[in-house]
Amino acid sequence: MSKPDTKRVDRAIRQTTKKLEAVRRGEWWPLTGRERRDMLRAMAGGARSIHQGRSTTGAENRMDTIGSSVEMRLNAELTALYGERQRIVTEHARDKAAKKSSGWW
């Protein structure tokens, strides 16, 4: 038998890893629409605070919280993808062992 077919899962793992690295650098492209709206809302609140001469601590904390939740979401997605990859490899090994044991010799 050949090697297990994990190309689709491997591609998804690479994409998710790139997204996680981008979020850690502060880029917004991996964010979902809701997360982008929340970030913009926090930025607007911070700009309003600056305009009124107040501290932007609350807005900064909200933006940090959103960034942390995005990282947690992507880490959970990566964990699930690694689990799926392991399931495929294990299933392939089980099938290969079953095929070998049912052979002539």
Side-chain angles (χ1 to χ4, degrees), residues 8-9 14 35 49 51-52 60 63 77 92 95 104-105:
R8 179 187 57 83
V9 177
R14 281 193 305 273
E35 292 163 347
S49 296
H51 182 69
Q52 292 177 347
E60 291 172 0
M63 289 178 70
E77 194 174 317
H92 182 267
D95 292 345
W104 259 87
W105 2 84

Side-chain angles (χ1 to χ4, degrees), residues 4-42:
D5 186 22
T6 58
K7 290 178 188 176
R8 179 187 57 83
V9 177
D10 289 339
R11 187 179 325 113
I13 288 172
R14 281 193 305 273
Q15 289 173 346
T16 306
T17 303
K18 285 180 186 178
K19 287 180 182 180
L20 186 59
E21 290 170 1
V23 167
R24 288 181 178 154
R25 285 192 305 265
E27 296 177 16
W28 282 27
W29 64 265
L31 275 60
T32 63
R34 182 182 177 99
E35 292 163 347
R36 286 183 189 161
R37 280 193 309 272
D38 290 344
M39 285 290 252
L40 286 172
R41 193 173 296 122

Side-chain angles (χ1 to χ4, degrees), residues 1-5 86-103:
M1 291 182 81
S2 63
K3 296 186 338 185
D5 186 22
Q86 186 60 45
R87 185 194 63 77
I88 291 170
V89 170
T90 303
E91 187 176 293
H92 182 267
R94 187 179 304 123
D95 292 345
K96 186 174 181 180
K99 189 170 185 176
K100 272 190 172 183
S101 67
S102 68

